[in-house]
Amino acid sequence: MTRQDVVERAQSLLGWYYVYGAKYANNPITLNLINSLRAQNSKVYTDSYYNKTLKAVGHNGIDCSGLVCYAMNIPDIGSWYISALPRTDIEYCLVDKTKPEPGDIAWRSGHVAIIENATTIIEAKGVDYGVIRSPYNPNSFTELIRRTTLLSNYYENIGWNITDGKWWYAYGHDKGEYYHGCFAFINDKLYLFDENGYLISGGDYITDSDGAFLRVDNIVYKEAK
């Protein structure tokens, strides 16, 4: 699963109603569900709050932790348990709030959201707002949580990859992190990659008068099978 997958799942909920206690699997929202949630959360579901929530009946609705859990494709847990993930699950860690990446989780007591990009979040803000896109303000959140196993938007597979029948090697997930126009030691073997990053397996190796490598003419690429 990539960071972009998380963002797109969160974006797919834009325009949904906010229903306190509702999760993705509860949809569409029914009157019976709202009445059940009210019985479980009587302090939240005042008469006024309850009446506002009724407009979600027959539509899709979710709360903030439900949004985050759906976006991350994890079982539904509350916002407090989400905040505990960096301390209980090796896949998660806390990162600098001023350096968000798409798919990060922004958390403060009682609320969580998904980072869309460096300046915006997707959040189930409240019964008066629903699921909306909002500006990201690091001062409005206590922690920024990153799932370290999420891949970036660029290279999903670190290591050998095949494109158009040619081999290339990504040494990182971010754009540009692949060997190109160079020699590279990989697993104690020396490989040569052309300017586009494709593995050269043969050709005419041209050197200068001292024997130093200059270029390869009549390039041959290893056939990808």
Side-chain angles (χ1 to χ4, degrees):
M1 189 173 187
T2 68
R3 297 174 191 156
Q4 189 61 31
D5 290 333
V6 174
V7 171
E8 289 178 358
R9 286 170 71 92
Q11 290 171 335
S12 73
L13 306 182
L14 286 168
W16 281 33
Y17 286 91
Y18 179 94
V19 177
Y20 185 88
K23 310 305 176 187
Y24 185 84
N26 296 138
N27 287 283
I29 301 300
T30 65
L31 180 59
N32 285 341
L33 174 67
I34 292 177
N35 287 336
S36 176
L37 293 173
R38 186 185 194 187
Q40 298 170 35
N41 306 280
S42 59
K43 291 183 178 180
V44 173
Y45 279 85
T46 62
D47 289 344
S48 174
Y49 193 94
Y50 174 77
N51 288 332
K52 288 182 179 181
T53 306
L54 289 178
K55 64 187 178 183
V57 172
H59 303 283
N60 291 324
I62 203 163
D63 68 5
C64 63
S65 63
L67 179 151
V68 168
C69 292
Y70 173 73
M72 301 296 291
N73 196 26
I74 61 175
D76 286 311
I77 54 177
S79 62
W80 185 90
Y81 293 100
I82 291 173
S83 72
L85 287 173
R87 303 161 185 87
T88 60
D89 192 322
I90 195 172
E91 289 190 10
Y92 298 84
C93 66
L94 295 175
V95 293
D96 187 339
K97 293 189 299 177
T98 65
K99 298 178 180 179
E101 293 185 6
D104 287 348
I105 303 170
W107 179 89
R108 66 172 180 264
S109 181
H111 189 55
V112 284
I114 290 291
I115 297 292
E116 183 178 34
N117 53 50
T119 60
T120 62
I121 60 174
I122 304 295
E123 62 175 337
K125 188 172 183 180
V127 71
D128 292 323
Y129 303 93
V131 178
I132 62 173
R133 177 182 287 110
S134 304
Y136 173 62
N137 180 356
N139 295 324
S140 296
F141 291 92
T142 306
E143 295 178 344
L144 192 63
I145 301 168
R146 181 163 299 159
R147 188 174 179 181
T148 58
T149 53
L150 285 179
L151 302 178
S152 76
N153 302 346
Y154 303 102
Y155 312 133
E156 293 191 10
N157 179 55
I158 290 181
W160 290 106
N161 295 272
I162 299 172
T163 300
D164 296 330
K166 299 176 183 178
W167 290 95
W168 58 282
Y169 194 95
Y171 58 84
H173 289 306
D174 292 331
K175 187 175 182 180
E177 292 184 332
Y178 66 99
Y179 293 121
H180 53 287
C182 67
F183 288 91
F185 275 105
I186 302 171
N187 296 327
D188 297 323
K189 293 183 178 181
L190 184 64
Y191 295 89
L192 176 60
F193 298 88
D194 72 10
E195 291 298 323
N196 295 313
Y198 294 118
L199 174 64
I200 295 173
S201 64
D204 299 325
Y205 288 71
I206 309 302
T207 65
D208 63 16
S209 58
D210 295 323
F213 173 80
L214 290 177
R215 67 182 186 276
V216 179
D217 289 341
N218 303 314
I219 291 174
V220 176
Y221 297 101
K222 181 181 178 181
E223 183 180 358
K225 297 181 179 180

